[in-house]
Amino acid sequence: MAWDEWEQLKAQAAERQSTQMQLNQLDPGDGSPGIAGGPTHYGRLEVPNASLTKISKSAHTLYNALWDKARVAVPTSDSAAGDLSKQGFALGAGLQHVSNRWEEQLKSLMDACAQITNHLQVSKKIHGAGENYIVRQMSSIATLDAGFDERVGQPGEKNPIYGEKSEKKEE
């Protein structure tokens, strides 16, 4: 392979690479290449607690309604299926099968409602605590950083981040 051909192939590969990189970025609008939204715009994954509470409450309400109303059909169906089977009707076995499937599906749905409620309550607590921790850590870092930042205040003067010096009365 000739050296010129090798250089040409490298240049073509570099052109293709830069094109691919541009496709994965969003032009911030100021003419410079940038990452989606630019470095000054950060997204925030946030679900308000009110939304989580509404969903959790709806799942809990559905669970209670299923417990109170849908569960009532199971003993009645089982009783009817038993009576029909004793009387020699084949319908008794079919009704028992339907009753068993109803109970299985009902339990599955009630478990799902309980899991939704529990998961959202736990998520709210865990992520709320995590959010508070992050805010505390970031605010202390910002305070510390500002204390070392030479651009805060005029040269030779006290850094205002530390507040005003309190005057103590001497007795």
Side-chain angles (χ1 to χ4, degrees), residues 1-15:
M1 177 183 282
W3 187 255
D4 292 335
E5 185 179 1
W6 172 250
E7 291 297 324
Q8 182 182 9
L9 289 172
K10 284 185 359 184
Q12 289 173 351
E15 287 175 14

Side-chain angles (χ1 to χ4, degrees), residues 62-129:
L62 178 58
Y63 179 89
N64 288 337
L66 291 170
W67 178 263
D68 293 340
K69 297 175 182 160
R71 194 176 52 88
V72 173
V74 174
T76 307
S77 299
D78 288 344
S79 175
D83 287 345
L84 287 170
S85 293
K86 286 179 188 174
Q87 295 176 22
F89 290 101
L91 183 61
L95 184 57
Q96 186 62 53
H97 175 75
V98 169
S99 178
N100 291 342
R101 291 291 293 155
W102 175 263
E103 189 172 10
E104 289 172 14
Q105 295 298 316
L106 180 61
K107 285 180 181 178
S108 177
L109 184 57
M110 289 175 70
D111 285 346
C113 290
Q115 286 178 357
I116 290 169
T117 300
N118 293 339
H119 177 72
L120 290 176
Q121 289 173 355
V122 168
S123 293
K124 191 166 67 170
K125 287 179 184 174
I126 289 173
H127 294 296

